[in-house]
Amino acid sequence: MKLNEKRIVNDIRLLSLDMINNAGSGHPGITLSAAPTLYTLFAYHLKFDLERKSWCNRDRFVMSAGHGSSLLYATLFYLLDEFNIQELKDFRKISSQCNGHPEYNLNNRIEMTTGPLGEGFATSVGMAIGEKYLESSFNRKKNTVFNYKIYTLVSDGDLMEGISYEAASLAGNLGLDNLIVLYDSNGVTADGPLDKAMYENIGDRFISMNWEVIKVKNGEDIGEISNAIDKAKKCKKPVLIEIKTVLGKYSKYEGTNRIHSNLDKEDLEEIRMKLKGTSPFTYSEIDRNNALKFIKDGTSDYYRDWYSEYEMYIANSTDNEKDKINLIIENEKISLDINAVVDSSKIFEDKTMRDINYQIMNVIGTFIPNFMGGSADLFCSTKTYLKGKNEFSVDNYSGRNINFGVRENLMGAVMNGLALTNIRSYGSTFLTFSDYMKPSIRMSAMMELPVTYIFTHDSIRVGEDGPTHEPIEQLGTLRSIPGLSVYRPCDYKELIGSWTNILKEGKPSALILPRGHNNTMKYTSPKMVSRGGYIISEVRTRLDLIIIATGSEVELAMNIKEELLKNYIEARVVSMPNMNLFLKQDKEYQEQVFPT
């Protein structure tokens, strides 16, 4: 079928601009420059199924340049029949399906929440790591179940953010040839020409990090873009396709920052005339129907071919192998009673909480095959290594221990990418360095992903490392993030309860642990962790005051209780391993713990 591609691309451009104009805000520049790139990718290269949107072997597309959201929505509407005209008209309004920046929703084929620049790129690296792990763990010589690609569209802004350097460096080190980055290279940012802030050779930078770099001279040329993607799919390294475009193409302000985030009505009408459009929110029905049919015909075999491979895999698998692959494909909730599977008699209570956590995590790793993560060059200190599970590397993609290097923000983004691949991910560093990870942690919380941040060295009592390593405000900051469940257990029993809850809830969680040893409290309980807070030491005769403590301060609270008793003051001690969970309890229970 011969498509009128010029009309299709221009219709998508005009729909995007109408959305921005209707909302009174948005980013028209990238909408005009990158439309041919998105059209080419969706029409000729992305592998997906029109009916099964969350199909496990679909190619992923991440709009890292999240400010180009209107272009994404218009493309999905025009080529895949996602959204409707009213939803496009509601762009950027409260409760709209078409938010100002894309928000994770597989029902609308939005693979992740993007907006903070660089996060989408870095999370794509996590998705690529996840695919390589699945490929290595499940594919057999003559039976391929996983072989999808990850594409991401990035802007100059994405590549200026430090996290993009972290991401590119790790991706090159791991040889992730399933990752293709489409760089909308227009040389303009919000404040003016790019060279005011950055003038290094981007291509050389990526080549130095073991990437393949392909250049597209004309970002309007669909054939040239398509040939570059074809070439990228055959490369044995991650690929950056630098596509030279003109920001705000066809605008009277094209090539300047005036069109980055402003669209005046006179300019819009001039663009409409140049692109031979009609009235707002209209398009060529014939050309859209042709495009929909073209894509339907082009993608119809993907799922059927894959299902044949899946059936072959199942037919030649043990029950255990079937369970493992279906756990990934169906993204099942995991319920594991740690107390039942950990032999408490073998927990060395005289060890540090980090060492006890190591024991517990290795039991989890035995029972849960998609439990995977790493540390920011701190396995030796955070003790989160999965023994016998090998290291993920270019030579062994089935390893479950990832060496992130000293790249905390990237680690958080990769954890998100792994979770979006249906892997139960974790990462670890010192609590004070959680500051580096804040953007990624917010993304975890917004997308409600089952990731676990393990932060050790949780107290000012770290001492000898000095104030730079002593966390003060970090615990409060983490607790203030909506949707993040923060656990700070005081002993091994609460640690077991924390992990049981983390796995059961399948939500973004932070586990806060001390560097040193915590004595085991007499009345702590794994089960009561699910209540968030509970009484561990009661008064004898009257309730004078209540001391609430968490983690390594619970023992201190018990000592204070004894000191107060010498002065005939009676104190109840409450351990609160998870403040958010306690605040969700019924009023009757809260009243028992804290009487009015």
Side-chain angles (χ1 to χ4, degrees):
M1 182 193 293
K2 183 72 176 165
L3 296 176
N4 183 356
E5 295 186 319
K6 194 169 186 179
R7 179 71 267 142
I8 292 168
V9 170
N10 288 341
D11 275 351
I12 290 170
R13 280 171 162 148
L14 288 169
L15 282 170
S16 305
L17 294 182
D18 288 334
M19 292 165 68
I20 293 166
N21 182 56
N22 208 45
S25 67
H27 295 77
I30 192 171
T31 284
L32 288 162
S33 66
T37 299
L38 244 64
Y39 165 75
T40 307
L41 180 66
F42 277 83
Y44 293 106
H45 297 281
L46 277 187
K47 178 178 70 182
F48 53 84
D49 185 76
L50 286 172
E51 302 299 320
R52 301 162 187 86
K53 298 179 184 181
S54 59
W55 171 41
C56 64
N57 201 44
R58 71 191 183 279
D59 286 341
R60 271 67 164 172
F61 171 69
V62 172
M63 190 76 170
S64 188
H67 54 287
S69 59
S70 66
L71 172 59
L72 177 60
Y73 304 139
T75 303
L76 288 169
F77 165 75
Y78 204 100
L79 301 179
L80 272 69
D81 204 24
E82 294 296 335
F83 307 107
N84 57 49
I85 284 294
Q86 188 54 52
E87 286 171 329
L88 298 189
K89 288 179 177 178
D90 289 340
F91 175 58
R92 285 181 165 246
K93 292 180 181 173
I94 291 173
S95 302
S96 169
Q97 290 296 303
C98 298
N99 301 289
H101 290 81
E103 292 188 24
Y104 175 50
N105 182 358
L106 291 187
N107 286 330
N108 290 132
R109 301 186 190 273
I110 309 295
E111 294 286 352
M112 69 166 288
T113 299
T114 53
L117 291 175
E119 284 291 325
F121 179 10
T123 305
S124 299
V125 172
M127 291 178 178
I129 290 172
E131 192 280 334
K132 283 294 183 189
Y133 172 74
L134 298 182
E135 190 182 302
S136 183
S137 300
F138 295 104
N139 288 359
R140 293 166 182 163
K141 238 178 188 177
K142 294 182 179 178
N143 191 189
T144 301
V145 186
F146 295 104
N147 65 341
Y148 59 87
K149 300 280 187 189
I150 293 87
Y151 298 88
T152 181
L153 181 75
V154 305
S155 62
D156 291 305
D158 285 285
L159 298 187
M160 279 195 277
E161 287 286 358
I163 192 172
S164 71
Y165 171 75
E166 295 180 27
S169 179
L170 184 64
N173 180 268
L174 295 173
L176 301 175
D177 60 4
N178 54 351
L179 176 65
I180 297 172
V181 176
L182 306 164
Y183 168 30
D184 184 58
S185 176
N186 56 57
V188 181
T189 64
D191 282 346
L194 178 66
D195 60 14
K196 286 171 70 172
M198 181 175 79
Y199 58 86
E200 72 258 33
N201 187 309
I202 296 291
D204 286 353
R205 190 217 293 184
F206 275 77
I207 288 167
S208 76
M209 292 186 283
N210 195 38
W211 282 62
E212 201 74 48
V213 175
I214 300 169
K215 298 202 175 186
V216 172
K217 292 177 182 175
N218 181 5
E220 293 291 297
D221 189 330
I222 289 164
E224 192 185 355
I225 296 167
S226 191
N227 288 338
I229 297 172
D230 272 330
K231 188 177 174 185
K233 287 192 280 193
K234 295 169 188 164
C235 287
K236 300 300 181 191
K237 296 177 181 179
V239 181
L240 177 81
I241 303 177
E242 183 175 3
I243 304 167
K244 293 306 289 182
T245 62
V246 177
L247 186 75
K249 180 80 173 166
Y250 302 110
S251 163
K252 63 184 177 184
Y253 304 117
E254 69 174 38
T256 74
N257 63 320
R258 286 284 299 275
I259 194 62
H260 172 78
S261 55
N262 295 295
L263 181 68
D264 64 53
K265 291 186 179 177
E266 180 193 327
D267 191 27
L268 174 57
E269 290 317 307
E270 286 181 17
I271 295 169
R272 198 184 305 282
M273 285 175 61
K274 287 177 189 174
L275 300 184
K276 295 183 170 59
T278 52
S279 53
F281 291 102
T282 59
Y283 50 88
S284 167
E285 297 267 5
I286 293 171
D287 290 308
R288 179 173 181 254
N289 289 335
N290 286 343
L292 289 170
K293 186 178 186 310
F294 178 79
I295 287 175
K296 185 177 181 181
D297 292 345
T299 59
S300 60
D301 292 342
Y302 288 139
Y303 181 80
R304 189 178 62 225
D305 292 348
W306 172 84
Y307 197 75
S308 297
E309 293 285 336
Y310 170 71
E311 283 188 314
M312 191 193 307
Y313 182 91
I314 294 297
N316 296 293
S317 296
T318 64
D319 287 345
N320 186 40
E321 287 169 335
K322 290 175 195 173
D323 288 344
K324 283 182 178 180
I325 196 168
N326 287 331
L327 182 73
I328 291 286
I329 290 172
E330 294 164 20
N331 197 20
E332 292 176 3
K333 285 267 185 182
I334 294 167
S335 192
L336 183 65
D337 184 354
I338 309 293
N339 213 27
V341 296
V342 168
D343 185 351
S344 296
S345 66
K346 291 185 178 173
I347 293 258
F348 300 107
E349 292 185 49
D350 59 334
K351 293 278 187 185
T352 67
M353 286 280 275
R354 292 177 294 155
D355 287 303
I356 296 171
N357 186 56
Y358 167 77
Q359 291 177 275
I360 293 170
M361 284 182 67
N362 273 277
V363 171
I364 295 169
T366 302
F367 281 90
I368 300 175
N370 59 333
F371 185 64
M372 178 180 183
S375 86
D377 199 47
L378 286 169
F379 274 134
C380 54
S381 291
T382 58
K383 310 288 178 80
T384 55
Y385 195 87
L386 299 181
K387 195 175 178 183
K389 299 297 186 284
N390 299 320
E391 293 185 5
F392 186 91
S393 72
V394 69
D395 300 315
N396 183 8
Y397 287 135
S398 64
R400 282 159 64 184
N401 293 289
I402 303 171
N403 290 297
F404 290 108
V406 188
R407 304 183 182 104
E408 288 88 356
N409 196 359
L410 168 75
M411 177 170 70
V414 168
M415 288 161 65
N416 291 338
L418 290 171
L420 290 164
T421 314
N422 299 349
I423 288 168
R424 296 301 297 264
S425 58
Y426 68 86
S428 62
T429 186
F430 295 173
L431 178 58
T432 191
F433 301 139
S434 64
D435 291 342
Y436 284 116
M437 307 180 73
K438 183 85 178 296
S440 300
I441 297 172
R442 290 186 79 238
M443 294 296 101
S444 306
M446 286 181 186
M447 292 186 276
E448 299 182 352
L449 300 177
V451 303
T452 306
Y453 294 89
I454 301 167
F455 297 124
T456 65
H457 296 59
D458 73 333
S459 165
I460 56 167
R461 291 191 290 175
V462 169
E464 63 267 26
D465 279 331
T468 60
H469 284 53
E470 292 172 354
I472 304 296
E473 73 281 9
Q474 283 76 15
L475 193 57
T477 300
L478 292 171
R479 284 176 176 153
S480 73
I481 298 174
L484 181 70
S485 204
V486 180
Y487 295 85
R488 193 177 183 223
C490 75
D491 62 11
Y492 85 87
K493 288 182 283 182
E494 287 193 350
L495 180 55
I496 286 172
S498 296
W499 268 116
T500 297
N501 236 50
I502 286 168
L503 294 174
K504 181 183 171 187
E505 286 197 323
K507 291 179 180 175
S509 304
L511 182 62
I512 317 295
L513 301 173
R515 175 184 184 233
H517 167 61
N518 276 14
N519 284 325
T520 302
M521 302 287 107
K522 188 174 182 181
Y523 295 109
T524 48
S525 157
K527 194 176 177 183
M528 291 302 288
V529 171
S530 64
R531 290 285 206 170
Y534 62 104
I535 300 164
I536 62 163
S537 181
E538 191 52 288
V539 295
R540 294 174 188 171
T541 54
R542 69 179 190 279
L543 182 59
D544 291 321
L545 60 94
I546 300 170
I547 304 173
I548 315 164
T550 68
S552 49
E553 278 94 56
V554 172
E555 189 178 342
L556 178 62
M558 293 293 287
N559 293 339
I560 291 169
K561 176 188 171 92
E562 295 306 312
E563 288 298 312
L564 290 170
L565 264 178
K566 293 175 186 175
N567 293 288
Y568 307 103
I569 299 168
E570 294 207 46
R572 169 184 291 174
V573 178
V574 171
S575 176
M576 192 167 286
N578 189 311
M579 192 185 296
N580 291 341
L581 280 180
F582 180 78
L583 294 173
K584 289 176 184 173
Q585 301 303 307
D586 58 71
K587 294 294 176 194
E588 187 182 352
Y589 177 74
Q590 290 180 1
E591 182 76 16
Q592 285 174 24
V593 181
F594 301 122
T596 306

